[in-house]
Amino acid sequence: MSLSELIAEELERQGVDAVFTLMSEETAKLIVEVDRRGIALYSTRHDSTPVGMADGYARSSGKVGVAIVGRGPGLTNALNPLVTAAKAGSRLVVLVGASPVDPDAAARARAEPMGKHIDQESLLTAVNVDNVTLRSPATAIDELAQCFALARRGAVVTVNLPTDVLTASATASGQAPIAAAPGTGPEPAPDEITLVADLLEESWASRHPVILAGHGAVAAGARDDLRHLGDITGSLMATTLKAISLFRADPFDIGVIGTLATPLASELVSQADLVLVFGASLNHYTTYRGDLLRGARIIQVDDSPEAPGRYMPAELSIVADARLAARALVDELERRGHQSSGYRTAEVAARIRDFSWDDSVVDHGDATGLDPRTVMIRLDQMLPTERTLIVDGGHHFEFSITHLGVPDPRGLVFPNEYFSVGTGLAAALGAAVARPDRLAVLVVGDGGLMLNLGDLDTAVRHRLPMVVVVVNDGGFGSEMHYLRVNGLPDLTARYDNPSFAAVAEGLGARALRIDSLDQLDQVPGALRDLRGPLVLDCKITSEVRANWVDFLFLPASVAGR
């Protein structure tokens, strides 16, 4: 058997049910072997899209996403989504064609002034992406199995497949056991739990406690234990963006805090005297550069020793699994018979219940376009609640994340860790594959969509039901507002766009042009029996400025912080 055949068999053995690819000559035989084994194969129109799809698939499903791209330009085209996924800690195995490892052939490839050869290992190492080169057919399958084990622990692993090794004859190895999903993290030290319990029992120090959960709490499955801890301590429940909607059914949930917080959440958190942080890094976006938590004592729990204190100091740092730490603290407080009302008063409960983001929006649509906030509010009412919201980078992201609800943390895919605009469409395609039970809803700017417009065709060809909301403000919104706050004209950031509705229809998608709020009434009918993408080309005013613009582009004194 060739190594290509054995790799395809190993993918099947690892439980891979979808592979995302753009074929090249060095990966063609491998792709054929994958297809022969009945693994769903999704072909794209650009090399970046398979990696972005694998990322969206992994984020939405929790499984390992698998992509296959070609060597040289295939890899360099895919770098943006690859770096994005690596920064996010997504679970990905990316198989990449590579130049031969035979010394003579490798020397010829390096000496050739034209051709696909580059030093892929050095390139990947330079951008902090774990990578392995399969140099021998005899060890390749065991090495690939190890790559899957590493990916399941939360890593992107790129596997270089040299052409001479990939086509060589090989025999199956002893087949190492498939690595299970990561287990629980470290347990908290009992004396540290005792210290936290002592602090919570000091009424002067815990009259206004807040529990803040981040991605680490989601990954650890800590929701129920944290809610129990909140009940005992009288804490308000808050999250980072990556843990959005973790506590959405809790009457004392104040949602995301930081730059995307509601005014009520910011007010309540700023008055906290004790913040219990579970699996959150406390980065500048979450804490508004530390201002939100400046008056609180901070207890930070994280399973990584590097996390506590990375962005702001904590009074006590505990290296432990979020769920195990929450449960241990609950057990200790219950042993003591501790019960506090804390921040949970009838007045606070009423304020949380009665607050609505939507009610605070004053529509600023004008002759140039609609208010993007109003558009999102209307779409939230029309689209199915069981949805995966995928948000591309760009000025618009605040409006959709704020006003389009999601059912749980996996319901939001925001591939913006590298601030690379244009990664959203691929991630949405992958999310649609991963969760067919949820409607994939992509919100993307006109500039972001134009970066990989051709892959709308991928959604059409593979009949992937999804809604693509184009926030069409006629240019690059972030840059327009950046120029404005710096007192410069914004004309160089503006573009004349084609009709995205017409382009989408030309590719075989359904489409609506939305120039007025009344035209949104057509959306429910267009969603019926949807078997591909529905593109909503929404003409948006560029006069509504997102709050994050002041945070990033203005000095703190000018921004009011």
Side-chain angles (χ1 to χ4, degrees):
M1 299 177 70
S2 70
L3 184 58
S4 289
E5 293 174 277
L6 289 180
I7 289 175
E9 284 189 355
E10 181 63 19
L11 297 181
E12 190 175 28
R13 191 174 79 92
Q14 291 286 342
V16 175
D17 55 17
V19 170
F20 310 101
T21 187
L22 179 60
M23 184 179 288
S24 63
E25 70 271 16
E26 64 270 9
T27 61
K29 291 181 179 179
L30 172 58
I31 290 169
V32 168
E33 294 300 333
V34 169
D35 189 46
R36 281 177 177 169
R37 280 154 184 79
I39 299 173
L41 196 65
Y42 294 87
S43 57
T44 69
R45 293 296 190 179
H46 191 272
D47 300 289
S48 67
T49 306
V51 178
M53 287 184 74
D55 188 15
Y57 174 93
R59 296 191 199 217
S60 300
S61 67
K63 301 177 183 178
V64 175
V66 178
I68 302 176
V69 297
R71 67 183 174 123
L75 174 61
T76 53
N77 277 341
L79 279 179
N80 276 352
L82 192 60
V83 173
T84 297
K87 284 178 175 284
S90 286
R91 299 173 175 181
L92 260 64
V93 172
V94 181
L95 305 174
V96 187
S99 298
V101 291
D102 173 78
D104 292 337
R108 288 193 298 272
R110 287 194 298 270
E112 180 61 48
M114 297 177 64
K116 290 186 176 183
H117 175 75
I118 56 171
D119 184 350
Q120 295 185 178
E121 291 177 324
S122 296
L123 174 64
L124 292 164
T125 300
V127 294
N128 295 316
V129 174
D130 292 330
N131 63 98
V132 173
T133 298
L134 304 186
R135 300 183 182 277
S136 168
T139 59
I141 299 305
D142 285 341
E143 290 173 332
L144 182 57
Q146 293 168 12
C147 292
F148 271 91
L150 181 59
R152 287 192 175 95
R153 292 196 293 271
V156 174
V157 187
T158 298
V159 184
N160 294 304
L161 306 173
T163 52
D164 51 344
V165 177
L166 194 58
T167 57
S169 296
T171 56
S173 67
Q175 291 196 331
I178 295 174
T184 55
E187 295 190 8
D191 59 333
E192 292 175 329
I193 295 299
T194 298
L195 283 174
V196 179
D198 290 344
L199 188 59
L200 284 164
E201 287 203 310
E202 297 174 0
S203 60
W204 62 271
S206 58
R207 289 172 295 179
H208 297 125
V210 173
I211 290 174
L212 173 62
H215 176 69
V218 176
R223 183 193 62 180
D224 292 344
D225 291 293
L226 290 175
R227 288 191 66 183
H228 193 177
L229 180 61
D231 291 339
I232 293 173
T233 59
S235 298
L236 299 183
M237 311 302 290
T239 73
T240 66
L241 181 59
K242 285 196 170 185
I244 189 171
S245 294
L246 184 64
F247 304 122
R248 71 178 307 200
D250 195 297
F252 288 95
D253 173 29
I254 58 174
V256 174
I257 69 166
T259 53
L260 295 179
T262 67
L264 177 61
S266 294
E267 175 193 335
L268 294 174
V269 170
S270 67
Q271 296 171 6
D273 47 33
L274 180 66
V275 180
L276 302 171
V277 183
F278 292 85
S281 68
L282 296 180
N283 64 47
H284 299 320
Y285 301 99
T286 296
T287 67
Y288 225 107
R289 298 193 180 99
D291 285 356
L292 281 179
L293 307 184
R294 202 169 298 283
R297 305 173 78 172
I298 297 174
I299 310 299
Q300 190 172 6
V301 178
D302 202 286
D303 62 3
S304 170
E306 291 78 29
R310 181 185 301 167
Y311 293 99
M312 61 184 303
E315 182 167 327
L316 176 62
S317 299
I318 300 174
V319 178
D321 176 88
R323 180 177 61 84
L324 295 180
R327 182 169 296 177
L329 189 52
V330 166
D331 289 345
E332 175 62 18
L333 292 172
E334 288 185 333
R335 184 189 67 78
R336 300 183 183 196
H338 176 79
Q339 181 69 54
S340 172
S341 58
Y343 221 150
R344 298 193 173 194
T345 65
E347 177 190 0
V348 170
R351 293 186 69 193
I352 293 172
R353 182 188 65 243
D354 296 340
F355 178 83
S356 170
W357 251 128
D358 300 351
D359 293 342
S360 66
V361 172
V362 177
D363 189 284
H364 287 294
D366 56 28
T368 67
L370 304 172
D371 187 320
R373 300 167 299 174
T374 307
V375 171
M376 300 306 163
I377 291 169
R378 292 286 298 273
L379 287 174
D380 187 55
Q381 299 163 356
M382 296 175 173
L383 298 173
T385 55
E386 278 299 313
R387 67 180 73 134
T388 303
L389 174 63
I390 307 94
V391 182
D392 195 54
H395 173 254
H396 61 85
F397 78 83
E398 176 182 307
F399 308 130
S400 52
I401 291 175
T402 300
H403 296 290
L404 288 174
V406 294
D408 53 45
R410 289 207 185 277
L412 174 65
V413 176
F414 185 35
N416 198 45
E417 288 81 5
Y418 188 39
F419 291 180
S420 176
V421 173
T423 57
L425 176 58
L429 295 169
V433 172
R435 295 296 304 266
D437 57 318
R438 290 180 170 177
L439 179 66
V441 179
L442 168 66
V443 181
V444 60
D446 49 314
L449 183 58
M450 286 296 286
L451 288 172
N452 53 4
L453 183 62
D455 269 302
L456 276 177
D457 169 72
T458 297
V460 173
R461 282 184 294 109
H462 292 290
R463 300 169 68 86
L464 297 176
M466 59 190 300
V467 175
V468 179
V469 182
V470 185
V471 183
N472 183 359
D473 60 1
F476 284 94
S478 296
E479 285 69 25
M480 281 194 280
H481 289 286
Y482 176 80
L483 292 169
R484 289 177 187 177
V485 299
N486 283 280
L488 297 170
D490 65 5
L491 292 178
T492 51
R494 293 183 176 276
Y495 290 78
D496 291 328
N497 287 322
S499 166
F500 291 107
V503 171
E505 288 176 337
L507 290 170
R510 294 183 187 178
L512 296 172
R513 181 177 172 88
I514 307 297
D515 293 306
S516 69
L517 292 176
D518 290 344
Q519 290 173 323
L520 287 170
D521 293 337
Q522 304 172 67
V523 171
L527 286 173
R528 294 192 191 103
D529 194 32
L530 190 63
R531 303 191 181 195
L534 168 63
V535 175
L536 306 179
D537 183 2
C538 301
K539 185 58 180 173
I540 299 297
T541 179
S542 62
E543 297 305 310
V544 176
R545 190 165 91 194
N547 293 319
W548 70 261
V549 171
D550 291 354
F551 175 77
L552 280 185
F553 294 163
L554 291 178
S557 58
V558 178
R561 291 279 174 178

